[in-house]
């Protein structure tokens, strides 16, 4: 690296600013790609939440190994959608409300709430009663954000 940023504060700020801004955008060539990415993550998460909910309600036989496998997937995928709310992705085939993009700090904290709940899901899924409770808490965290920021 031959970056002589020490000589000029303006250049240093420019380099630093670029480093901060680059990672989020660089993952997606177009806003449509970001929309597709986050919707895909939500779809997978929704599918596995559906499997757990069916077991919780007794619509499907409880299987601890399958439940814990779904819980692990949910906990991993629940970390993915958030970086994809990039500028420009408020337009197009999206179910995200325009307000979301003006409230990214709030979205971040709702996402953190979800991650807190999904972090407890895998252990809970090893026991039917514990799973019922934790699926409820997780579902409430999904709903809290959807009510504010998703067009239903
Ligand atoms: C912090 C906010 C937030 C949280 C938490 C959240 N969602 Fe969403 N969800 C959204 C937004 C915004 C959209 C619309 C995304 C889009 O269309 O661009 C969405 C869309 C979806 C979709 C539709 C995807 C599609 O293909 O259009 C599903 C399914 C979904 N969420 C399931 C879940 C589940 C299940 C959880 C909890 C485990 C959850 N979401 C948690 C904000 C959230």
């Amino acid at each position: 690296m031959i970056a002589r940023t020490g000589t000029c504060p303006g250049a240093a700020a420019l380099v630093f600013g670029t480093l901060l801004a680059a990672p989020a955008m660089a993952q997606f060539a177009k806003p449509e790609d970001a929309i597709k990415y986050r919707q895909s993550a939500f779809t997978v998460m929704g599918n596995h939440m559906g499997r757990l909910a069916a077991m919780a309600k007794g619509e499907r036989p409880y299987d601890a190994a399958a439940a814990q496998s779904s819980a692990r997937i949910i906990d991993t995928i629940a970390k993915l959608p958030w970086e994809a709310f990039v500028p420009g992705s408020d337009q197009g085939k999206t179910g995200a409300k325009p307000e979301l993009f003006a409230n990214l700090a709030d979205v971040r904290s709702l996402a953190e709430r979800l991650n807190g709940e999904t972090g407890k899901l895998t252990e809970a899924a090893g026991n039917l009663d514990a799973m019922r409770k934790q699926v409820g808490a997780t579902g409430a965290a999904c709903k809290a954000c959807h009510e504010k920021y998703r067009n239903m």
Side-chain angles (χ1 to χ4, degrees):
M1 272 279 288
I2 316 171
R4 290 177 12 211
T5 52
T7 54
C8 170
L14 190 68
V15 169
F16 190 55
T18 309
L19 285 178
L20 279 183
M25 282 308 291
Q27 312 304 327
F28 308 106
K30 304 185 296 274
E32 303 92 274
D33 296 347
I35 294 173
K36 191 172 172 193
Y37 178 93
R38 70 197 183 215
Q39 288 176 343
S40 305
F42 283 128
T43 299
V44 172
M45 208 159 61
N47 178 291
H48 285 275
M49 276 297 282
R51 298 186 201 195
L52 294 187
M55 285 189 227
K57 289 188 228 156
E59 294 167 3
R60 190 193 259 240
Y62 172 63
D63 173 339
Q68 288 190 300
S69 165
S70 282
R72 251 179 244 115
I73 291 165
I74 293 165
D75 187 37
T76 301
I77 304 290
K79 297 180 178 72
L80 304 184
W82 326 120
E83 68 167 337
F85 289 109
V86 295
S89 68
D90 54 336
Q91 306 289 322
K93 288 190 186 162
T94 174
K97 288 188 181 171
E99 299 92 281
L100 182 148
F101 297 87
N103 294 285
L104 290 175
D106 187 40
V107 174
R108 167 69 49 197
S109 82
L110 287 162
E112 277 165 11
R113 171 179 163 188
L114 177 68
N115 291 153
E117 298 300 351
T118 63
K120 299 179 214 159
L121 202 52
T122 301
E123 196 185 337
N127 170 279
L128 181 56
D129 282 334
M131 183 187 83
R132 281 203 181 101
K133 226 176 122 214
Q134 197 52 35
V135 167
T138 304
C142 309
K143 199 166 163 231
C145 185
H146 288 168
E147 281 176 343
K148 278 174 117 169
Y149 297 121
R150 181 184 171 198
N151 288 316
M152 305 302 275

